[in-house]
Amino acid sequence: VDILYTLIMEDKLQCSQVLSTYSIQILPLTSVDLPTAFTPNGDGINDVIYADGWGILDLLYLRIYNRWGQLLFETSELSEGWDGTFEGKAQNMDTYIYQVSVQTYIDAEPLTKSSTFKLIR
């Protein structure tokens, strides 16, 4: 809900007064995305790729495919991401395809997106 705040500042002796008004608007925006690249090299930084965005209520699916269309990873848990492995083997530096679908707090229909990202080692 949008809200309007009015702040009145006054000095200790009540000699001077300043009035400021702030309008806070809540924009009903939703989005889902993945980074354009990640580096699963074991340094603890950017080692796993996750679905993220604004207004996400539930992850319906995140699917990751290699360039030949082989499904390498799938989850419906927002806190679960891909670590760059398939069947216990580290995957090569390459471009990978993802499909993601989420239910948002605002949209009646699921928000779905497909794109690519790079795995960098």
Side-chain angles (χ1 to χ4, degrees):
V1 175
D2 296 346
I3 192 164
L4 184 69
Y5 285 101
T6 302
L7 178 65
I8 301 171
M9 296 175 284
E10 191 173 70
D11 66 86
K12 287 184 181 183
L13 300 175
Q14 298 179 335
C15 296
S16 174
Q17 195 177 69
V18 176
L19 177 80
S20 295
T21 303
Y22 300 94
S23 175
I24 310 290
Q25 282 187 307
I26 307 301
L27 301 175
L29 300 177
T30 58
S31 69
V32 63
D33 215 346
L34 269 75
T36 56
F38 83 118
T39 57
N41 57 9
D43 67 355
I45 301 169
N46 202 24
D47 286 335
V48 179
I49 192 163
Y50 299 95
D52 199 6
W54 294 97
I56 296 174
L57 174 65
D58 192 28
L59 177 66
L60 302 176
Y61 61 81
L62 168 61
R63 298 177 185 136
I64 297 176
Y65 300 88
N66 63 18
R67 66 174 54 233
W68 299 279
Q70 182 181 19
L71 180 64
L72 304 178
F73 176 80
E74 183 173 19
T75 186
S76 60
E77 296 294 325
L78 196 55
S79 62
E80 190 177 345
W82 187 49
D83 64 359
T85 64
F86 178 64
E87 295 179 346
K89 295 179 184 174
Q91 297 301 290
N92 294 329
M93 278 184 41
D94 206 345
T95 300
Y96 293 83
I97 299 119
Y98 72 84
Q99 295 175 334
V100 63
S101 183
V102 296
Q103 188 64 54
T104 69
Y105 287 98
I106 298 168
D107 304 309
E109 296 296 316
L111 183 59
T112 303
K113 184 173 182 181
S114 296
S115 192
T116 62
F117 64 89
K118 295 199 181 296
L119 186 155
I120 302 168
R121 292 206 184 268

